[in-house]
Amino acid sequence: MMKLRPAAVAGMFYPEQTDELAALLAKLLLSAEGNKLTPKALIVPHAGYAYSGQIAAAAYRHLQLTGNHIKNVILMGPAHRYPLVGFALPSHDAFSTPLGNIPINQGIRSNLCQREDVEVNDFAHVMEHSLEVQLPFLQMCLTDFFIVPLLVGKATAEDVFEMCELLPLNKETLFVVSTDLSHFNDYAQAKSADDETITKIATLQTNIQPEQACGAHALNGFLLLCKYARWQPELLIAKNSGDMNGSKHDVVGYASFIVR
């Protein structure tokens, strides 16, 4: 029997009804611009769709137009609810969303588990939203693909880079790095802080701090991979929750990049 990791934040971060979710995603993707240049990776936010769905859709639209060849998606994001050191993979066979099930690539998972800093830990994944909110977007943009859902805890950029060296770096593989930017500043402070972080991402700096981006550990290692592979992040859109709901206090920053 297939072991499923059920959707944990459907109905909170995104609609739990299949038709409603599909309609919302279709609307978000249709409203985003895209072109025929295939991304090697996406850097996208992971808040509720009411806040960051528009920002994430700006990146996923490119994938929707060009991603028919993608067979594996490497998902990397932070563990918000578990004190993780190193990396955590789930023991499940697939992740479930209201749009269906997405199988996990068992071969890649087994390969990663050879590292001492990788644990199979379902507790880290059980309520984590940073990877889950990406899945319905992927289901709308791709067909017949596998995922590798990798939570990144406290780890150096070099640790993450070495992890990435065990992954297939080919045209059939897409990296998705899930991160929001600054948290709970006033609007002006958030804009300033996020502008600095966006510059660091665009210039492949690997010293981003967790207060600048909650997915900093994964992001720093991925940017080190970009240096090695000669990939370049390209900013698509940057906003914050103050732009979306009108409140200019305690805002959270979001940005989307495609990586070519």
Side-chain angles (χ1 to χ4, degrees):
M1 181 180 294
M2 179 178 290
K3 183 179 179 181
L4 290 177
R5 188 272 194 185
V9 297
M12 292 181 286
F13 281 67
Y14 58 86
E16 62 182 336
Q17 298 300 319
T18 300
D19 291 347
E20 183 183 356
L21 175 58
L24 174 60
L25 288 167
K27 179 180 178 181
L28 289 170
L29 290 165
L30 188 62
S31 67
E33 295 182 4
N35 57 40
K36 296 298 180 68
L37 297 175
T38 306
K40 295 179 173 67
L42 309 177
I43 301 171
V44 282
H46 53 237
Y49 288 2
Y51 293 96
S52 68
Q54 175 190 350
I55 291 85
Y60 281 110
R61 178 60 172 162
H62 291 263
L63 186 64
Q64 186 182 39
L65 294 174
T66 64
N68 288 337
H69 61 287
I70 297 296
K71 300 303 180 185
N72 291 297
V73 179
I74 313 300
L75 287 160
M76 297 195 296
H80 288 91
R81 297 171 177 83
Y82 187 89
L84 181 63
V85 177
F87 308 89
L89 288 162
S91 68
H92 304 87
D93 299 309
F95 273 34
S96 181
T97 83
L99 300 182
N101 301 328
I102 311 174
I104 292 172
N105 188 309
Q106 306 292 335
I108 295 176
R109 180 173 64 186
S110 296
N111 195 32
L112 293 178
C113 285
Q114 296 176 27
R115 287 180 58 97
E116 292 183 355
D117 55 0
V118 175
E119 58 183 286
V120 176
N121 187 329
D122 292 340
F123 291 105
H125 281 272
V126 65
M127 286 300 297
E128 181 53 54
H129 66 276
S130 68
L131 305 185
E132 181 182 327
V133 298
Q134 311 304 336
L135 301 180
F137 273 109
L138 290 168
Q139 288 171 300
M140 290 291 289
C141 297
L142 303 177
T143 57
D144 298 325
F145 66 101
F146 294 85
I147 56 170
V148 181
L150 186 65
L151 291 178
V152 182
K154 189 174 182 181
T156 67
E158 289 74 18
D159 291 335
V160 179
F161 173 74
E162 290 173 3
M163 171 73 65
C164 291
E165 287 188 303
L166 298 176
L167 297 166
L169 300 178
N170 56 41
K171 292 181 179 180
E172 295 184 342
T173 301
L174 176 81
F175 285 79
V176 175
V177 181
S178 177
T179 185
D180 293 338
L181 300 182
S182 65
H183 284 58
F184 310 132
N185 295 312
D186 66 36
Y187 188 87
Q189 290 173 324
K191 287 281 289 181
S192 177
D194 293 344
D195 285 347
E196 179 181 350
T197 304
I198 287 166
T199 297
K200 286 187 174 185
I201 294 171
T203 54
L204 305 182
Q205 298 181 47
T206 59
N207 62 344
I208 298 169
Q209 300 301 307
E211 61 268 22
Q212 296 175 301
C214 58
H217 297 305
L219 184 57
N220 285 330
F222 174 73
L223 294 175
L224 193 57
L225 173 65
C226 288
K227 286 184 178 181
Y228 170 81
R230 298 186 179 180
W231 295 351
Q232 180 58 50
E234 175 187 330
L235 177 68
L236 297 173
I237 185 172
K239 293 189 177 185
N240 62 44
S241 58
D243 297 314
M244 310 310 291
N245 69 7
S247 174
K248 305 299 182 184
H249 303 286
D250 295 331
V251 304
V252 179
Y254 315 117
S256 278
F257 293 78
I258 53 171
V259 181
R260 304 195 197 279

